[in-house]
Amino acid sequence: MSCKVRLMEDGSLDEEPLTLKEIAYQKLCNNLDIISNHRPDGQRILNSGIVLPNEICDGFLENYQRFNRPLDDSVIRLFEDTQRTSLKIVNLRNSTLSSVGLETLMRHKLFSLSMWYCDMITVGSHHLLAHYGDSLRSLELGISSHLLQYAEPNEKEPVDFQLTCPHLRRLVLNGVVMHHRLQFAHLHDLGHLDLTSCVLANFSLEALVSLPNLHTLILFNVWPIANQLHAICCLRRLCTLDISISSSGNGQGTYDLPDQTLEMLMDNLRHLTHLDISGTNLAGNGVATKESTSASSTQLSTKMEQQFALTDIPGLASRTQRPLQFLGLYHTAHWACKRHDIPALEVAGDANEQQILTAARYYHDRPVLLTRVLNDLYHLFRFENCKDIHTALDVVLSAMDRHLKFKHMQISGSATLFYIVKGRERSKFGTLLRNHIIRTLLNGMEMHLSDDTMLRNGYLTLTQFHMPIDVLFEYERLIKILLHGVSKTEQEGFVQRIAIYLLNTLACQVDGRQKLFLGELGVVSTMLTLIKDRLTRSVFDDVMEVAWSTMWNVTDETAINCKRFLDGRGMEYFLKCLHTFPDREELLRNMMGLLGNVAEVKWLRPKLMTQEFIEVFARLLDSLSDGIEVSYNAAGVLAHIASDGADAWTIKTPSREHVLDRMVAAIQRWNLKSERNINYRSFEPILSLVRCYETPECQHWAVWALANLTQVYPEKYCQLVEQENGIQILNELIEHESPYSEIKRIARLVIEQCDSGSERMIEG
């Protein structure tokens, strides 16, 4: 498995950018209409006149899955015509391909076929190997690929099959029950055999002795195997042997004579370069032994010396002068990986960072074992220090990408990612790497939405990124996952709280198009449901407060979301919150901010014109809650309602004149230098009130708002006034005869402040 994460020349960590060919594949995968169209039955068919050579077809299937597209029968139908398309190497992972789609692929006379997590393939399709397997050189049937095994995990009955693929050079089977009639003698070219988690039953490994080219034998999680050791010793050409176990429970991996057993293997398999005995006791108890070797007989006897070679693994004494290239000692008995004298150039274990990363690279397709390795890596990041960040990132991302459906893998990987992203190296992450981390997290969360631990890990890791800029490329998918966390997890639980916090952060800082999308996905209705639940239970918490804040954000300059709020009984909940939690300043501020947005929508204002609502708004003019925020927002709501004119004031009490008088009195009490807890992206609603000459009181509130914001935050808001033609509008107001003098005085303050702000910018 090659590393994708690189330490770049500028010191940053990033992935190599897509090649031109990969960009072309990405474009094609996103736009299948380029090469195909839909048949009447809805299935895709290759456009007439298009012929795709083998290189393009193989690359298309690989990249279609790489760019996170579900590979199903409808896509595979593009390859029905073997005269116009050609497939040789097919690697399927997490595919919903059926047996029909598999037959379409097999008719291409494949050279190599690999299937992992292809749940729709059943044992009833094993006959396809007999019909189309003659051309196969490599066959890999990984986890949940039920071509040669029953889907039920407790089913131990063997499938009656024969390997009618005479030219196989590489064979990987996972969890298959091997029946005693299974023949291997005809597989003369077979060099690599992986029987991970297979059940040997009455099958004897002596069937492999006749294979002249067998150099690799993987028997990971095959137990018991002690009665097969003599057959293994007869495979003299083996260079790689794996007899490791993922769990040493129930006596698995325990040999009666571990030192002698390992020594026997070494004496017979002299070509071994890679050996894995993880999970077993074959490394002995750690007592060092000496191997005595005499000098050559051709040397003078007086110069003969006794040479001693030391090793802490007795069974490997014969390899001290010729160390193995790789030795797997992960979770061996007596902590063999922590010994000093180990005759191997590379060791997989859990003694240190290098051993853990080596284990992660070698065990990339063993999800149970790999999950434990990622747990070790997690503890390394949390309690110690990891120096090789880019390799650690690569193995974690690769593990999560390869084993998307394995929940515990996703949980361990996301926990490790949290500490990697939280560390000092985060500032060095390039855009491509950040995107990969975020996409991998979302894939895992999307696949395991019902698991709160997975959601918690994912949400916490996402909080370490810059919102929303880092996640805009996956904005829609993230919102859906956050909404699930808000609405489908435990009320008042941590997952719900962190999800609504992230949702509010995203709603606060995005543009109108994305706010529309938030409304379409049901953000407003979800927030109202949360509020209703807490009102029913008379509970005030941070979820309720943030729910109102989120609606405040998504209704900003988005009329349809304001309507969704009103249609969802939002005003009813507003009054109930006001009555039930009268002393909650943050809650009151958020609610009034939201109603300020609603009041800006002219065609919705009639819904606010009730005696009950107007009396509440008028009473809040005198509120001292949260500085001037509540009073300011109440005045803003009333100013917009009053701007529609006397005819639109359809209630008798309180009267329009009475409310406007109280509004002006409130404005005159406010401190023009008050700091604010508000953020305007546009002054268009306020400037529209500056033009409301029929009701000067509305103008009063509008010019005071501009004066306050430009006085306290001149760098931001002076420029916004000028950009939206505010100076001209204010000059027109000053020249007009209707506004009273106080309004014109405040308007001049705004113009003077903006003029001085422009001078400061020029000087700067």
Side-chain angles (χ1 to χ4, degrees), residues 1 102 112 208 225 275 280 323 403 411 540 640 667:
M1 183 182 63
L102 179 60
S112 173
L208 308 180
I225 205 172
L275 173 67
T280 72
H403 303 284
I411 291 173
F540 176 83
H640 280 97
I667 294 171

Side-chain angles (χ1 to χ4, degrees), residues 666-707:
I667 294 171
Q668 290 174 339
R669 289 195 300 268
W670 300 339
N671 182 351
L672 196 60
K673 298 289 187 180
S674 297
E675 293 190 356
R676 308 300 308 285
N677 192 352
I678 198 167
N679 179 41
Y680 283 98
R681 293 187 300 129
S682 170
F683 280 151
E684 192 277 328
I686 294 177
L687 291 172
S688 69
L689 290 181
V690 175
R691 295 192 183 99
C692 185
Y693 293 102
E694 298 82 5
T695 311
E697 293 88 349
C698 298
Q699 293 177 306
H700 196 163
W701 179 84
V703 295
W704 192 95
L706 295 175

Side-chain angles (χ1 to χ4, degrees), residues 515-516 518-520 524 554-555 558-565:
K515 289 183 192 292
L516 284 172
L518 287 167
E520 291 166 2
V524 175
V554 300
T555 54
T558 313
I560 188 62
N561 287 345
C562 294
K563 183 179 184 300
R564 290 185 173 109
F565 167 77

Side-chain angles (χ1 to χ4, degrees), residues 456-472:
R456 180 199 64 195
N457 291 355
Y459 292 153
L460 283 174
T461 307
L462 289 171
T463 63
Q464 303 301 312
F465 290 94
H466 296 295
M467 295 288 173
I469 189 169
D470 283 349
V471 298
L472 285 177

Side-chain angles (χ1 to χ4, degrees), residues 140-362:
E140 185 172 328
L141 302 178
I143 295 173
S144 296
S145 298
H146 307 296
L147 202 63
L148 299 178
Q149 66 183 98
Y150 291 101
E152 293 299 322
N154 296 324
E155 181 63 72
K156 296 300 181 183
E157 285 298 317
V159 178
D160 191 7
F161 71 96
Q162 288 295 333
L163 292 165
T164 53
C165 309
H167 303 297
L168 277 180
R169 299 173 185 171
R170 183 175 182 273
L171 176 62
V172 177
L173 303 178
N174 194 299
V176 173
V177 181
M178 313 285 286
H179 61 81
H180 67 280
R181 296 184 303 278
L182 188 58
Q183 298 294 317
F184 278 85
H186 62 294
L187 302 178
H188 301 293
D189 297 330
L190 191 64
H192 180 112
L193 178 60
D194 185 338
L195 300 177
T196 290
S197 298
C198 287
V199 179
L200 298 188
N202 296 322
F203 179 80
S204 173
L205 293 178
E206 290 179 357
L208 308 180
V209 174
S210 61
L211 301 179
N213 296 302
L214 189 65
H215 55 75
T216 297
L217 179 61
I218 309 296
L219 299 171
F220 171 64
N221 268 358
V222 176
W223 189 263
I225 205 172
N227 60 340
Q228 304 272 11
L229 290 177
H230 288 287
I232 294 174
C233 286
C234 295
L235 305 175
R236 301 300 174 86
R237 293 183 178 83
L238 281 185
C239 298
T240 297
L241 175 64
D242 186 334
I243 51 175
S244 61
I245 294 289
S246 65
S247 173
S248 56
N250 300 322
Q252 289 190 348
T254 302
Y255 293 83
D256 294 333
L257 300 170
D259 294 343
Q260 292 88 332
T261 300
L262 183 57
E263 184 178 13
M264 177 184 70
L265 288 170
M266 291 299 99
D267 287 345
N268 285 278
L269 306 177
R270 295 184 175 275
H271 296 291
L272 274 187
T273 58
H274 293 69
L275 173 67
D276 202 326
I277 54 174
S278 298
T280 72
N281 68 336
L282 286 175
N285 60 14
V287 178
T289 62
K290 291 184 178 180
E291 179 197 9
S292 175
T293 57
S294 61
S296 171
S297 59
T298 58
Q299 295 176 297
L300 295 174
S301 58
T302 57
K303 294 184 179 180
M304 290 178 63
E305 297 178 350
Q306 190 100 32
Q307 297 179 342
F308 296 98
L310 290 173
T311 175
D312 289 334
I313 301 178
L316 295 180
S318 62
R319 299 304 298 262
T320 55
Q321 300 301 311
R322 192 168 56 92
L324 295 163
Q325 291 182 28
F326 168 81
L327 178 61
L329 296 176
Y330 189 77
H331 281 202
T332 43
H334 307 294
W335 301 99
C337 65
K338 295 187 176 182
R339 299 173 194 171
H340 293 290
D341 297 307
I342 300 175
L345 303 180
E346 199 171 22
V347 175
D350 59 356
N352 53 49
E353 175 184 330
Q354 184 177 1
Q355 287 189 6
I356 293 171
L357 292 177
T358 298
R361 287 191 291 108
Y362 272 90

Side-chain angles (χ1 to χ4, degrees), residues 371-440:
T371 299
R372 296 177 189 166
V373 176
L374 292 191
N375 280 331
D376 292 334
L377 199 56
Y378 162 80
H379 287 287
L380 193 65
F381 275 100
R382 184 176 181 184
F383 301 112
E384 300 178 45
N385 183 37
C386 182
K387 298 177 182 178
D388 194 353
I389 300 292
H390 70 281
T391 301
L393 258 176
D394 194 69
V395 298
V396 173
L397 291 173
S398 176
M400 294 178 70
D401 291 342
R402 293 177 73 85
H403 303 284
L404 182 60
K405 295 185 178 181
F406 200 81
K407 182 175 70 175
H408 296 295
M409 169 78 69
Q410 298 300 317
I411 291 173
S412 294
S414 57
T416 308
L417 279 180
F418 171 75
Y419 282 99
I420 294 177
V421 174
K422 188 171 178 282
R424 294 191 303 267
E425 300 293 323
R426 177 182 59 184
S427 60
K428 298 180 180 179
F429 292 174
T431 301
L432 293 175
L433 178 57
R434 284 199 306 272
N435 289 356
H436 190 170
I437 295 171
I438 292 168
R439 190 180 296 111
T440 296

